């Protein structure tokens, strides 16, 4: 019997951001968040358990990983082993179709694919909800890359359970995410590390206190395909997160001058009537969300910025999915 | 009997910012603020009351002013007329040794000089405290340009009175404000207008709630000449104000890409051990506060930025002062 599976997952871009944990040990987010999976980017992860191994071995884009990166994945694999009650280690091979460490949410896609491949390879058959709840222990936003299309990550106020679920499928709204990739002359603090300082900002409590209102407005904007409403709340939410970052102790500056130049250009383009909005994760890249009809115009304009070294554009994508399986698993619900 | 006076005042740069009013009609600020007068910049204002005039006439840097700019000054002059119980109008001539509308707090210096010259010309003899309390009706931060050196603008919690007063004279600490003047390709919203939207930010209440702590820490840092403490609190306070601006409805973006480039360079310079910190008012210019010993190095580094079109540097300056007087005023306390 082999214990092998391969899964694919997409990164996601959040309209309502996750930044800060209400409970670090239980990985309960400070606020609910909302995102869209990004079609042009994907991570493929294979997991093969091997009784001969004494520890997990991780290969990322054909390079053997050691140190903190490996330890983080091993701790996550321990959770899967614990759930399956099996004491086996695995060869884990992950490849991205995009550069890692460029702020393209590689850890979200990576841990989503690993959650699916790892559990299936070890014979577990988890629901989408359970997969999502598990994925957050690898990387918070990874839980949003398990379901498809437009996704909410919620905390059940009664049970305290937290997981992500789809609010609309990928084909619900023909949006396009045009990602302006900027040069990173210094490696920013990773988001998992950075958000530990969120509570040191005098603004984090106010950001969180207002999150329910933003979440509700954004959810309605997505369900009713209201681009103007989505724009307003998406930019506000992105600015709120970066406001917390820049007022944390020590302050975290993820925006680069080129990021701000694009953000301000977007404001001018909106004034011209172009349907486009921006949002930034914990990095300098600017995600420009636009409609199918306007994507060529947005891409053309983005290419004028000397700071932009690459552009990727993707439509809303489906859920994490199994590509191959050769394991003792029964029905796999994904 | 002539009714004429000329006064000079300096702009000020705030370490703890004023942004938003708790009471708009009474011009009570949402939080106490702290600033330093800037020696290299000055506004000189002459006021000559003339019984033949039917309305105030304003000349700013040799140009006749009309419209909103004139109306704002006329409304302020009405207050002085009301205090003096005189129904006379004036020729007002104001000149700056710096470009107006470049975000160099020209309205603070202008209204401080106008307060002093206007009251003296009409025969009023106001204390520094009363002059300061009056100046805020022209422009909030103008009240901080009345006293000298390092200045606090406070609200008396018992009486509700609000005015600025010196906490240390200009020679208390040999700081230098190196102002990197950036090109303004669009005219930003003026601060008096912009701060009306402060309460629309989900962050303003949190910024204000934390202001007492910042004010106290900044005051102590100034009095004890603790540059590291001043740096930390000054940058935090500047970022807090701009966080509110960028999350207001509509959002206000005063930072330009070049502003952010300089801010981030300052963080790198600090890591090298250079004593320098930054703060930005409602505009793109970056005020780099440094020590006498490091000013040449800071100026040299600032000149490397292509976005910087001009640099001014000034030491802490004294109070608003009378340059000439030919009026019925008795003792003038300035």
């Amino acid at each position: 019997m082999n214990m092998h599976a391969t899964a694919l997952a997409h990164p996601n871009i959040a309209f309502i951001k996750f930044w800060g944990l209400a409970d670090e040990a239980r990985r309960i987010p400070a606020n609910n968040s909302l995102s869209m999976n990004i079609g042009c980017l994907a991570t493929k992860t294979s997991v093969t358990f091997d009784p001969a191994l004494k520890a997990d071995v991780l290969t990322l884009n054909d390079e053997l990983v050691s140190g903190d990166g490996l330890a983080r994945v091993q701790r996550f694999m321990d959770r899967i082993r614990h759930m399956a009650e099996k004491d086996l280690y695995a060869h884990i091979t992950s490849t991205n179709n995009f550069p890692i460490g460029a702020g393209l949410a590689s850890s979200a896609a990576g841990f989503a694919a690993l959650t699916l491949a790892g559990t299936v390879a070890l014979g577990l058959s988890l629901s989408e909800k359970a997969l999502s709840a598990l994925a957050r222990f690898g990387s918070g936003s990874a839980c949003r890359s398990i379901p498809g299309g437009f996704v909410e990550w919620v905390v059940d106020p009664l049970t305290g359970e937290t997981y992500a679920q789809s609010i609309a499928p990928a084909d619900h709204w023909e949006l396009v995410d045009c990602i302006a990739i900027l040069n990173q002359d210094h490696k920013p603090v990773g988001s998992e590390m950075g958000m530990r300082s969120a509570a040191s900002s005098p603004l984090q409590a106010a950001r969180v206190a207002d999150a329910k209102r933003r979440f509700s407005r954004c959810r309605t904007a997505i369900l009713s395909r209201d681009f103007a409403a989505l724009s307003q709340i998406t930019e506000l939410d992105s600015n709120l997160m970066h406001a917390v970052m820049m007022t944390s102790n020590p302050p975290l500056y993820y925006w680069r001058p080129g990021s701000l130049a694009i953000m301000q250009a977007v404001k001018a383009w909106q004034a011209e009537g172009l349907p486009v909005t921006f949002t930034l994760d914990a990095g300098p890249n600017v995600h420009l969300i636009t409609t199918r009809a306007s994507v060529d115009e947005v891409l053309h304009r983005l290419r004028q910025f000397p700071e932009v070294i690459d552009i990727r554009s993707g439509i809303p994508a489906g859920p994490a999915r199994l590509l191959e399986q050769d394991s003792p698993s029964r029905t796999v619900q994904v």
Side-chain angles (χ1 to χ4, degrees), chain A:
Chain A
M1 182 189 78
N2 290 313
M3 289 170 288
H4 168 79
T6 300
L8 178 145
H10 301 279
N12 63 77
I13 178 66
F15 302 118
I16 301 294
K17 308 290 190 187
F18 157 54
W19 191 254
L21 290 159
D23 182 328
E24 179 139 357
R26 294 170 63 217
R27 305 282 297 179
I28 312 287
N31 62 281
N32 291 354
S33 53
L34 256 175
S35 62
M36 174 184 106
N37 290 346
I38 309 170
C40 58
L41 308 177
T43 298
K44 197 169 86 172
T45 300
S46 291
V47 178
T48 307
F49 285 93
D50 179 349
L53 282 179
K54 295 275 183 283
D56 300 312
V57 177
L58 173 63
T59 307
L60 188 53
N61 291 340
D62 299 325
E63 288 197 19
L64 207 60
V65 178
S66 60
D68 291 346
L70 175 63
R72 184 175 169 190
V73 165
Q74 288 175 329
R75 280 195 304 274
F76 184 70
M77 293 298 289
D78 288 343
R79 287 191 175 267
I80 296 179
R81 279 185 278 272
H82 182 77
M83 288 174 88
E85 297 179 338
K86 285 189 180 140
D87 208 17
L88 290 165
Y89 298 91
H91 292 277
I92 303 160
T93 308
S94 191
T95 52
N96 300 310
N97 71 346
F98 56 94
I100 58 164
L104 291 172
S106 53
S107 65
F111 277 103
L114 179 61
T115 301
L116 181 53
T119 53
V120 167
L122 213 47
L124 292 166
S125 176
L126 302 181
S127 66
E128 182 181 274
K129 183 171 160 179
L131 285 169
S132 173
L134 173 58
R136 81 181 193 279
F137 287 99
S139 172
S141 54
C143 74
R144 294 193 311 246
S145 283
I146 295 285
F150 298 85
V151 172
E152 62 180 3
W153 176 11
V154 293
V155 180
D156 186 313
L158 292 176
T159 63
E161 271 190 300
T162 185
Y163 53 86
Q165 60 193 4
S166 181
I167 63 164
D171 62 2
H172 164 71
W173 196 2
E174 291 198 328
L175 296 180
V176 184
D177 181 7
C178 302
I179 313 170
I181 301 176
L182 274 69
N183 195 13
Q184 290 194 330
D185 45 13
H186 62 280
K187 172 77 185 161
V189 175
S191 54
E192 295 289 316
M193 183 73 85
M195 71 173 68
R196 290 201 188 120
S197 71
S200 71
S201 164
L203 304 180
Q204 168 72 350
R207 189 193 73 85
V208 169
D210 184 61
K212 197 171 173 183
R213 178 189 72 88
R214 298 193 306 278
F215 179 86
S216 168
R217 287 193 56 186
C218 187
R219 200 175 189 281
T220 303
I222 291 170
L223 293 178
S224 60
R225 302 185 191 88
D226 181 342
F227 195 88
L230 180 73
S231 294
Q232 198 261 328
I233 211 74
T234 295
E235 290 167 26
L236 172 62
D237 195 85
S238 177
N239 287 355
L240 285 169
M241 180 177 75
H242 287 271
V244 167
M245 292 162 163
M246 290 190 275
T247 56
S248 291
N249 187 11
L252 299 170
Y253 294 90
Y254 287 107
W255 291 354
R256 299 289 304 148
S259 318
L260 189 57
I262 295 170
M263 291 163 59
Q264 293 178 338
V266 166
K267 299 309 291 176
W269 301 345
Q270 288 172 344
E272 293 173 29
L274 193 67
V276 58
T277 184
F278 66 77
T279 184
L280 291 91
D281 282 341
N285 303 328
V286 189
H287 292 252
L288 271 67
I289 312 295
T290 187
T291 58
R292 271 305 162 100
S294 298
V295 65
D296 288 343
E297 182 63 27
V298 168
L299 290 174
H300 170 74
R301 293 184 183 206
L302 265 185
R303 286 188 203 104
Q304 315 306 312
F305 288 85
E307 301 91 343
V308 174
I309 57 169
D310 196 7
I311 304 175
R312 301 287 174 110
S313 60
I315 59 172
R321 64 183 193 272
L322 216 49
L323 298 181
E324 45 171 347
Q325 176 188 358
D326 183 9
S327 71
S329 176
R330 292 142 316 188
T331 316
V332 180
Q333 303 163 357
V334 286

